[in-house]
Amino acid sequence: MLRAKAASNSKPPMPTQRKSQSRSSNPEFDKAEPKETTEKVVFINRCAKVVKGGRRFSFSALIVSGNHNGRVGIGFGKANEVSEAIRKATESAKKRMVNVAVHENTIPHEVLGEFGGGRVLLKPASPGTGVIAGGGVRAVIEAAGIRDVLAKSLGSSNPANVVKATLDALTTLRPKAEIFKIRGKTLRVKTPAAAEA
């Protein structure tokens, strides 16, 4: 009896406590952590399979992930529960992130993106305009960190195709410096009027 009490009093620290201490003190672990990204659920679809006992439901989730600084990705996940489908889609979106050309909080030029039946037109906008877009297009643009843009969905309204068409449009964007380099021209740097005088 006394041995059992003595054993219960001298409990070793819980393993979860040790893990959290080692994480905060280990500098290599901090480097491995991904940069701050945000996820937005664009669409959740419920599918019903009719079986002998009734209906069996499964779910699919479409997620847009971005760091609001020129990186964005989309992910699609399927599972028998909504939370699991969202988790799978989020992992997929983080793995498939791509860089997007952003010029002064807008896009460098007008572009048309296509995927399947989805067609999305994006136009640069003046500062203060905001994101004039709806649904899946808005989710992708905001995740990429673009603040001023005009968008119009011209084709299918299927959320998956609209989101992929938007991502196609954003990946075809090229900054002015890159276009000048391909043409073999040099880009002039604007000097302020005060410096010239």
Side-chain angles (χ1 to χ4, degrees), residues 8 13 34 36 59 68 146 164 186:
S8 65
E36 191 63 39
F59 300 90
H68 297 279
I146 298 166
K164 288 173 185 174
T186 54

Side-chain angles (χ1 to χ4, degrees), residues 1 11 17 41 49-50 62-63 87 91 110 113 116 124 133 143 150 160 168 171:
M1 185 99 178
K11 285 183 182 176
Q17 290 173 343
V41 178
K49 180 184 178 184
V50 179
L62 181 66
I63 302 280
R87 186 191 63 77
E91 284 179 10
E110 187 178 313
L150 303 169
D168 174 61
T171 51

Side-chain angles (χ1 to χ4, degrees), residues 43-110:
F43 187 70
I44 292 177
N45 188 42
R46 188 183 76 173
C47 181
K49 180 184 178 184
V50 179
V51 292
K52 191 177 178 182
R55 291 190 185 101
R56 192 166 289 167
F57 295 108
S58 64
F59 300 90
S60 63
L62 181 66
I63 302 280
V64 173
S65 179
N67 68 350
H68 297 279
N69 195 20
R71 279 184 66 78
V72 67
I74 58 171
F76 191 73
K78 294 179 180 179
N80 291 331
E81 292 179 15
V82 176
S83 58
E84 187 66 15
I86 290 171
R87 186 191 63 77
K88 285 182 182 179
T90 303
E91 284 179 10
S92 175
K94 284 181 179 177
K95 284 179 190 172
R96 297 165 57 189
M97 287 181 85
V98 292
N99 290 323
V100 172
V102 180
H103 176 68
E104 294 175 2
N105 294 330
T106 188
I107 56 177
H109 55 84
E110 187 178 313

Side-chain angles (χ1 to χ4, degrees), residues 119-137:
R119 292 175 70 222
V120 173
L121 175 68
L122 300 177
K123 289 184 177 184
S126 56
T129 305
V131 177
I132 310 297
V137 180

